[in-house]
Amino acid sequence: MTYSIKARESIDFFSFLAISLLLISPLDALSALQFTDRTTESGLSTTHSNVYRTWDVAVGDINGDGVNDLYAMDHAQGPNQTLQSYLFLSSSNMSLTNITSTMVTKGGGQAALFTDLDADGDLDLMTSSNDGVGVVLSNDGNGKYSWFNSDFPDARYHFDGREIARGDIEGDGDLDTIVGSHGHDMTIFVNDGNNVYTKQAFDNILLRGDDLSVTLQIMADFDNDGDTDIVSQRMSAWISGWGSRPTTVDLWLNDGSGKFRWVSDTHGLMDGTEEAPLVIGDFDNDADLDIVQLQVDSKGGIRFFENDGQAHFTENAAQRGFTGNGPTGITWWAKASVGDLDNDGDLDIINNGREVYVNDGTGHFTKERLSVTYNGIVTRVADMDDDGDLDVVGARIHWEANGDGYYIYRNDTNDKRWLIVKVDAGPKNPYGVGAKIKVFSGAKLLGYREMTNSSTMHLPLEAHFGLGGCACSNVRVEVTFPDGSSKTVDAVDIGQKIKVNANGSITSKLFTDGFEP
C-alpha cells in the first residue's frame, strides 16, 4: 500500500495503525509527499512578456554545476511579433538567476529542448515554431548561447513544427533529430557523425499519404532489440477537419539500419480520439516501456498501453485505475511528465501542474491533487535544487484567473532515499541518450529507465530512482549502452549522483543537499 500525496478521507483505526508503523519502518514506503510553491521567491512570477501567452519550458544543467537550470519560452501570436524567452540558472536554494540577455526570436514558439547538438558535453538549445523561426543555439559550456555554428541546415528555418526528439536513428553512435509538424510529415535531420546535419525525408517509412500530421514524438527502444524506435501521435484533424478522423498513437519499429516500419495496426496502438499529452515509462516495473495518452474525459479519458516487452501493446486503462479519471486542463498543446514524485520506487504521472496519478508500485494509479497555487498547461519534473527529489516546473494555464506565467514547486520529501544516474556513452553521445539503466537490490529489480531526449515529456538527461520502498543502503546498477555493451556497478550507496562512463570508469557526487525546508 502506498500512502499518496494527500491522506484519504476515511481511514479506519487499524489502517491508521498500519500506516503509522510503516512510517517509522526502514522501508519508509509511505512518506507523504509535500510541495511548496516557490514561484514568487524564485523570480518566476513576473516572467512573461505579455505578447501572447506562456508556452513551454526546458530543464537541464547548462553550466555544469550539477543543478538543473530552466529555459522558459513565450508564444507570440504571429510571425511579425517578438517571441520573448527567458534563461535561468538555478541554485541549491531554488533561487533563479536570470541570464537571458538578448535571447529573442520571431514567431510563435512551440517546443523547447536542451540537447547536446555538437557532442561537446554541454547542453545546446533547440526550439521549434509553428508560424515563425526555429532556433538552434550552441552552448559555450557556461550557459552562454550563440547561433549553432555547424552545418545544421536552415538554422533559422521555418519549422512549421511541434515537438522535437533526439536519438540514434541509424545505429552509428551519434544523435539525429526529428521535428514534428502541423499538417506535414516528420522532418528528419540526420547527423553525419561530425555533427553536420542533413535534412531528409523518411521515404521508407509507411506513411499515410497527405493526411499524416505527426505533432509529437519520442524516440526509445520499445521492442528491446537494441535500436531506436519512434512513438508518435498523428493529428489528422489538421488536414481533414476536427473530429472527421481519429488521432492515433503511431509506433514505428526500426529494422536496425534506420529504416522504420509502421506497426500500430498490428501492435495494439490504433486508439485515441484527440491530440493529448503522451508519456512513456516502465510503470509496472517489468523492464519495458509502456505508453500513456492523457485525453480529456469527453474524448475517452486516459489510454494506458501496456508493453509485453516486444512492443505488442494491450490497452488496459480500466485495470490501471483510470476509468472516469481523465485529466483536466488538457488541450492540444498540453504536456505532461513522469517521475517518482513520492520517492517510493515507481513512476508517477503528473499533468496540469498539480494533478498527479500516483502509482502503487504495480502500475495501478490513484488520482490526487497537489495543494499548490497554479494549474499548468506544461508540466516538467526535475531536481531543481540538488537535493535528490523531483521538483515540478512549467507554464501556467493562460485562460484561468491567475493568468499567464511560469511556476516552480519544491518537493519537500527529502528522505535521502534515492539515486540519480548519469551516463556518458562516449564522444558521440556524452549524455548517453538511448542508454538503459536498471537498479537492483539483490535479485529484485527496483527500477528501469531509458535515457530519452524529447520535448514531448522533457526530462533532464539523468535517471532518477526513488528508493523509499527498499530497506537497502546500497544497490547494484546495470547500464546497457546504446552500442549494446554494458557495465555493472556493485554496492552503490544510495543518496548520491553517479555517472557511468563508456570507458568503464565511475564518477560520483554526494548530494550537496544545501537546502533543508
Coordinates of all heavy atoms in Angstrom, one line a residue, residues 60-69 89-92 141-142 386 422 497 509 512:
G60 N 17.5 21.4 -17.6 CA 18.8 20.7 -17.8 C 19.9 21.6 -17.2 O 19.8 22.8 -17.0
D61 N 21.0 20.9 -16.9 CA 22.2 21.6 -16.3 C 23.0 22.2 -17.4 O 23.8 21.6 -18.1 CB 23.0 20.6 -15.5 CG 24.3 21.3 -14.9 OD1 24.4 22.5 -14.9 OD2 25.1 20.5 -14.4
I62 N 22.9 23.6 -17.6 CA 23.5 24.2 -18.8 C 24.9 24.7 -18.5 O 25.7 25.0 -19.4 CB 22.6 25.3 -19.3 CG1 22.5 26.5 -18.3 CG2 21.3 24.8 -19.7 CD1 21.9 27.7 -18.9
N63 N 25.3 24.8 -17.2 CA 26.6 25.4 -16.8 C 27.5 24.4 -16.1 O 28.6 24.8 -15.6 CB 26.5 26.7 -16.1 CG 25.8 26.5 -14.7 OD1 25.2 25.5 -14.5 ND2 25.8 27.5 -13.9
G64 N 27.1 23.2 -15.9 CA 27.9 22.1 -15.4 C 28.1 22.2 -13.9 O 29.1 21.6 -13.4
D65 N 27.2 22.8 -13.2 CA 27.4 22.9 -11.7 C 26.6 21.8 -11.0 O 26.6 21.8 -9.7 CB 27.0 24.3 -11.2 CG 25.5 24.6 -11.4 OD1 24.8 23.8 -12.0 OD2 25.1 25.6 -10.8
G66 N 26.0 20.9 -11.7 CA 25.2 19.8 -11.1 C 23.8 20.2 -10.8 O 23.1 19.3 -10.3
V67 N 23.3 21.4 -11.0 CA 22.0 21.8 -10.7 C 21.2 22.1 -12.0 O 21.8 22.7 -12.9 CB 21.9 23.0 -9.8 CG1 20.5 23.4 -9.4 CG2 22.8 22.9 -8.5
N68 N 20.0 21.5 -12.1 CA 19.3 21.7 -13.3 C 18.8 23.2 -13.4 O 18.3 23.8 -12.5 CB 18.1 20.8 -13.4 CG 18.5 19.4 -13.7 OD1 19.2 19.1 -14.6 ND2 18.1 18.4 -12.8
D69 N 18.9 23.7 -14.6 CA 18.5 25.1 -14.9 C 17.2 25.1 -15.7 O 16.7 24.1 -16.1 CB 19.7 25.8 -15.6 CG 21.0 25.7 -14.8 OD1 21.0 26.1 -13.7 OD2 21.9 25.1 -15.4
L89 N 19.6 30.3 -14.4 CA 20.4 29.4 -13.6 C 19.8 29.2 -12.3 O 19.4 30.1 -11.6 CB 21.9 30.0 -13.4 CG 22.7 30.2 -14.7 CD1 24.1 30.8 -14.3 CD2 22.8 28.9 -15.5
S90 N 19.7 27.9 -11.9 CA 19.1 27.6 -10.6 C 20.3 27.3 -9.6 O 21.4 27.1 -10.0 CB 18.2 26.3 -10.7 OG 17.5 26.1 -9.5
S91 N 19.9 27.3 -8.3 CA 20.9 27.0 -7.3 C 20.2 26.1 -6.2 O 19.0 25.7 -6.3 CB 21.3 28.3 -6.6 OG 20.2 28.9 -5.9
S92 N 21.0 25.6 -5.3 CA 20.5 24.7 -4.3 C 19.4 25.2 -3.4 O 18.8 24.4 -2.8 CB 21.7 24.1 -3.5 OG 22.3 25.2 -2.8
G141 N 29.4 26.1 -22.8 CA 29.8 25.3 -21.6 C 29.5 26.0 -20.3 O 29.5 25.4 -19.3
N142 N 29.2 27.3 -20.4 CA 29.0 28.1 -19.2 C 27.6 28.7 -19.2 O 27.2 29.6 -18.4 CB 30.0 29.3 -19.1 CG 31.4 28.8 -18.9 OD1 31.7 28.0 -18.0 ND2 32.3 29.2 -19.8
D386 N 19.0 20.3 -6.3 CA 20.1 19.4 -6.0 C 20.0 18.7 -4.6 O 21.0 18.6 -3.9 CB 21.5 20.2 -6.0 CG 22.7 19.3 -6.2 OD1 22.5 18.2 -6.8 OD2 23.7 19.6 -5.6
K422 N 23.7 9.3 -14.2 CA 24.0 9.9 -15.5 C 24.9 8.8 -16.3 O 25.5 8.0 -15.7 CB 24.8 11.2 -15.4 CG 24.0 12.3 -14.7 CD 24.8 13.6 -14.8 CE 23.9 14.8 -14.3 NZ 24.6 16.1 -14.5
K497 N 24.7 11.0 -6.6 CA 24.6 11.0 -8.0 C 25.8 10.4 -8.6 O 27.0 10.8 -8.2 CB 24.5 12.5 -8.5 CG 24.3 12.7 -9.9 CD 24.2 14.2 -10.3 CE 23.0 14.9 -9.6 NZ 22.9 16.3 -10.0
K509 N 29.1 11.9 -7.1 CA 29.0 13.2 -6.4 C 27.9 13.1 -5.3 O 26.8 12.8 -5.6 CB 28.6 14.3 -7.3 CG 28.2 15.6 -6.7 CD 27.6 16.6 -7.7 CE 27.2 17.9 -7.1 NZ 26.0 17.7 -6.2
T512 N 24.7 17.8 -2.4 CA 25.0 18.9 -1.5 C 23.9 19.1 -0.5 O 24.2 19.5 0.6 CB 25.2 20.2 -2.3 OG1 24.0 20.4 -3.0 CG2 26.3 20.1 -3.3

